[in-house]
């Protein structure tokens, strides 16, 4: 994914890392991924992963929903926005 060159991303947001986060989201089983899942897959901290998924949700690349468990607060999960995770035939894009 390319960040629009006409829009400066916030300080600390790298296009290389944005691409890594999108790749993890694209390959997530069931299509949903949490910030903790991204952190585990990339080796970044959960705080950093959360900053990236919030940024990608803000620009419309990820959609946010909640996963409810039996106890505790719901976990935010992220899914690629339409067009980013599938090709035109509806099949997952290959990296």
């Amino acid at each position: 994914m390319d960040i629009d060159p006409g829009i400066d991303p916030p300080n600390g947001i790298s296009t290389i890392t944005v691409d890594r986060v999108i790749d993890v989201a694209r390959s997530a089983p069931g299509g949903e991924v949490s910030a903790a899942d991204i952190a585990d897959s990339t080796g970044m901290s959960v705080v950093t992963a959360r900053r990236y998924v919030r940024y990608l949700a803000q620009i419309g690349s990820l959609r946010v929903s909640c996963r409810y468990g039996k106890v505790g607060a719901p976990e935010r999960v992220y899914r690629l926005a339409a067009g980013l995770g599938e090709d035109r035939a509806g099949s997952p894009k290959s990296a």
Side-chain angles (χ1 to χ4, degrees):
M1 180 203 142
D2 294 325
I3 295 174
D4 185 345
I7 300 172
D8 291 331
N11 286 338
I13 299 293
S14 157
T15 56
I16 294 168
T17 306
V18 165
D19 289 340
R20 288 180 67 194
V21 170
I22 288 175
D23 287 343
V24 171
R26 182 176 288 133
S27 62
E32 290 184 341
V33 65
S34 68
D37 297 332
I38 290 171
D40 288 343
S41 295
T42 61
M44 68 178 74
S45 72
V46 174
V47 172
T48 299
R50 194 174 297 128
R51 184 166 18 111
Y52 276 87
V53 294
R54 285 182 179 162
Y55 168 70
L56 289 167
Q58 181 181 15
I59 65 169
S61 296
L62 293 178
R63 301 286 179 237
V64 185
S65 61
C66 290
R67 182 169 34 204
Y68 296 92
K70 295 192 184 249
V71 295
E75 179 180 34
R76 288 180 173 254
V77 290
Y78 302 86
R79 179 181 294 273
L80 286 176
L84 286 176
E86 298 179 343
D87 64 19
R88 291 183 185 181
S91 301
K93 285 184 178 178
S94 57

